[in-house]
Amino acid sequence: MGSTGFSWTLPDHPKLPKGKPVAVVVLDGWGEANPDEYNCIHVAQTPVMDSLKNGAPEKWRLVKAHGMAVGLPSDDDMGNSEVGHNALGAGRIFAQGAKLVDQALASGKIYEGDGFNYIKESFENGTLHLIGLLSDGGVHSRLDQLQLLLKGASERGAKRIRVHILTDGRDVLDGSSVGFVETLENDLLQLREKGIDARIASGGGRMYVTMDRYENDWDVVKRGWDAQVLGDAPYKFQSALEAVKTLRAEPKANDQYLPPFVIVDDSGSAVGPVLDGDAVVTINFRADRMVMLAKALEYADFDKFDRVRVPKIRYAGMLQYDGELKLPSRYLVSPPEIERTSGEYLVKNGIRTFACSETVKFGHVTFFWNGNRSGYFDETKEEYVEIPSDSGITFNVAPKMKALQIAEKARDAILSGKFDQVRVNLPNGDMVGHTGDIEATVVACKAADEAVKIILDAVEQVGGIYLVTADHGNAEDMVKRNKSGKPLLDKSGGIQILTSHTLQPVPVAIGGPGLHPGVKFRTDIQTPGLANVAATVMNLHGFESPADYEPTLIEVADN
């Protein structure tokens, strides 16, 4: 019995036997969308996944993997691997991303944590720099959160504040930057009237300055570093409003690609370079486009570009952007504290567990699956294997990635008889999908399907059970679309490639010779999501799930 009054002992399921090995396979970035030439899963040869979908319809279904189903603020928010694996492992929905920030700001908890107390040490003699996307799009940041943070920091002793803005035009209408800058300038004017030296210091468009991702183009981050940290940019203006209006007036200009600019005083000096003793906060809550800047701000041995000058600063992210890299090491809002995950329950009920992926997704079947927790619950019953990912190349160069090796490790673990659960993540659809290379993503999907076959063949050999699912969509739709679903074209008539995750549902398939013949998917759950998978897996192991878990997806017919 735990000290909090609940039991770690799971009750046996009245109709499902125990003792059958269960393989849990997560296909990363594998959603379900209409078949067309931009659906790489449809285009690829995927006979195994096709057979799961078409062979036994009562053992294949779709679940939600985005928005409120995974704890994000709204159903306009695409899912991601971290929140997806949190939900898969935890069996319950926890507030994530923007929602966590909203709660921390509303309660004032954001100002009580280690992250804020750390940056606060710079308020007396240094400047507080806030860097991030100036937008109300709600995908990477929100203007109202910036406004609340400005107010809260100034009330708690920040005397000198500099905001480094990135204009959007991607999650919001192009041209809306002007209105956002006017709003922010008005807020900063009110702070100045209260005696706080608060100004916009630099800016640039999100796709050209700072917000690169997946280490695609470090020059984007360098342009931001030069403007934000060094106070150096090709364009200099006396106000941000003048900057945005002037740069937008150039031919073909748009918010996403505005060049970097700095704000200067009457003598031509930048008003807000980052100096020794200053504090820096990256205000975006979404991780993917902040990780690269976080590395430049935090890593002493950083070598991706010449930083020229590396000020001694106190740096914190709005959130921790990479739970595996522990980056940044300080953050204003903590990730959800997820206790009593399915993995811990099962291990404490004797389920010997094997988990494996390659480096880029290894933390997802371990750390995130286990509720943002490192290490083993019981090292006598668990084994985690990480296969090194390719480095020094983009994933479309070798799109098969390590799918085969992951599958072979899983096969060996299943056939060894040493494990009751074998859990893997096959990253191909997601990591190659992010490159925007359609041909390579087709190869990636085929490789993932071949890996699934290796695992399911092993399950067949030992009389086991499988559950195959995904964490969010990506590879199933590789083109941007208009409201009617038609592909959007660029100015030269080519299609606009979509490299992001999607809002599509993902499959859950169950089967294997060990599956009780009466098991089928329930039809009475209105909108099931990834969090329903944990109770389902517990059932497949022969246990009932805890009462506060999202309900299982399966039922057992009496006949």
Side-chain angles (χ1 to χ4, degrees), residues 295-409:
K295 288 178 178 177
L297 289 167
E298 183 143 316
Y299 288 173
D301 59 352
F302 180 84
D303 62 357
K304 302 299 184 183
F305 58 80
D306 180 5
R307 292 181 288 184
V308 183
R309 178 173 64 77
V310 186
K312 294 180 176 69
I313 58 168
R314 291 183 174 87
Y315 167 52
M318 182 68 95
L319 292 149
Q320 186 165 62
Y321 299 129
D322 192 317
E324 293 163 69
L325 296 176
K326 306 282 188 283
L327 182 77
S329 56
R330 315 264 184 166
Y331 37 90
L332 302 189
V333 180
S334 297
E337 293 168 15
I338 302 175
E339 35 38 323
R340 299 191 300 109
T341 61
S342 62
E344 185 169 11
Y345 267 114
L346 288 168
V347 166
K348 288 188 173 174
N349 282 271
I351 297 300
R352 301 161 303 166
T353 303
F354 177 90
C356 175
S357 188
E358 60 177 280
T359 306
V360 289
K361 298 293 179 179
F362 174 68
H364 294 81
V365 282
T366 55
F367 178 85
F368 293 107
W369 194 279
N370 292 336
N372 306 326
R373 180 191 180 281
S374 296
Y376 294 114
F377 295 113
D378 180 348
E379 56 192 34
T380 68
K381 292 192 180 71
E382 294 174 278
E383 184 180 336
Y384 298 164
V385 173
E386 176 183 352
I387 296 167
S389 289
D390 292 322
S391 61
I393 57 167
T394 50
F395 290 106
N396 56 326
V397 175
K400 294 181 180 180
M401 298 181 66
K402 305 299 176 194
L404 198 64
Q405 293 92 318
I406 295 166
E408 287 167 349
K409 291 283 186 195

Side-chain angles (χ1 to χ4, degrees), residues 42-68:
H42 165 69
V43 174
Q45 291 180 310
T46 55
V48 179
M49 291 302 292
D50 292 348
S51 71
L52 297 187
K53 179 178 176 179
N54 303 320
E58 73 286 356
K59 297 197 172 65
W60 190 93
R61 69 159 308 156
L62 296 174
V63 298
K64 272 180 69 176
H66 76 286
M68 292 188 280

Side-chain angles (χ1 to χ4, degrees), residues 36 39 60 274 281 307 341 389 392 461 464 503 516 523-524 531 556:
D36 68 10
N39 180 337
W60 190 93
V274 181
V281 175
R307 292 181 288 184
T341 61
S389 289
Q461 265 185 269
L503 303 176
H516 184 289
T523 55
D524 60 340
V556 186

Side-chain angles (χ1 to χ4, degrees), residues 389-447:
S389 289
D390 292 322
S391 61
I393 57 167
T394 50
F395 290 106
N396 56 326
V397 175
K400 294 181 180 180
M401 298 181 66
K402 305 299 176 194
L404 198 64
Q405 293 92 318
I406 295 166
E408 287 167 349
K409 291 283 186 195
R411 175 197 65 200
D412 295 347
I414 292 164
L415 297 181
S416 74
K418 288 194 284 192
F419 300 101
D420 305 295
Q421 183 181 112
V422 172
R423 181 169 74 230
V424 301
N425 179 300
L426 299 168
N428 306 61
D430 189 47
M431 300 309 294
V432 185
H434 279 312
T435 69
D437 184 330
I438 290 179
E439 284 181 26
T441 308
V442 170
V443 175
C445 293
K446 181 174 188 280

Side-chain angles (χ1 to χ4, degrees), residues 259-316:
F261 60 85
V262 293
I263 307 306
V264 295
D265 59 20
D266 293 339
S267 69
S269 299
V271 301
V274 181
L275 303 172
D276 285 353
D278 287 354
V280 175
V281 175
T282 43
I283 62 161
N284 290 19
F285 46 73
R286 181 163 154 178
D288 56 357
R289 293 189 182 275
M290 280 287 116
V291 167
M292 292 166 74
L293 175 59
K295 288 178 178 177
L297 289 167
E298 183 143 316
Y299 288 173
D301 59 352
F302 180 84
D303 62 357
K304 302 299 184 183
F305 58 80
D306 180 5
R307 292 181 288 184
V308 183
R309 178 173 64 77
V310 186
K312 294 180 176 69
I313 58 168
R314 291 183 174 87
Y315 167 52

Side-chain angles (χ1 to χ4, degrees), residues 58 60-64 69 91 93 467 508 510 520-537 539 545 549-556:
E58 73 286 356
W60 190 93
R61 69 159 308 156
L62 296 174
V63 298
K64 272 180 69 176
I93 299 167
L467 182 146
V508 180
I510 53 171
K520 62 181 180 22
F521 280 125
R522 295 166 59 174
T523 55
D524 60 340
I525 304 174
Q526 290 302 309
T527 50
L530 291 180
N532 297 85
V533 169
T536 310
V537 170
N539 289 175
S545 60
Y549 270 43
E550 292 294 311
T552 178
L553 295 168
I554 59 175
E555 61 187 1
V556 186

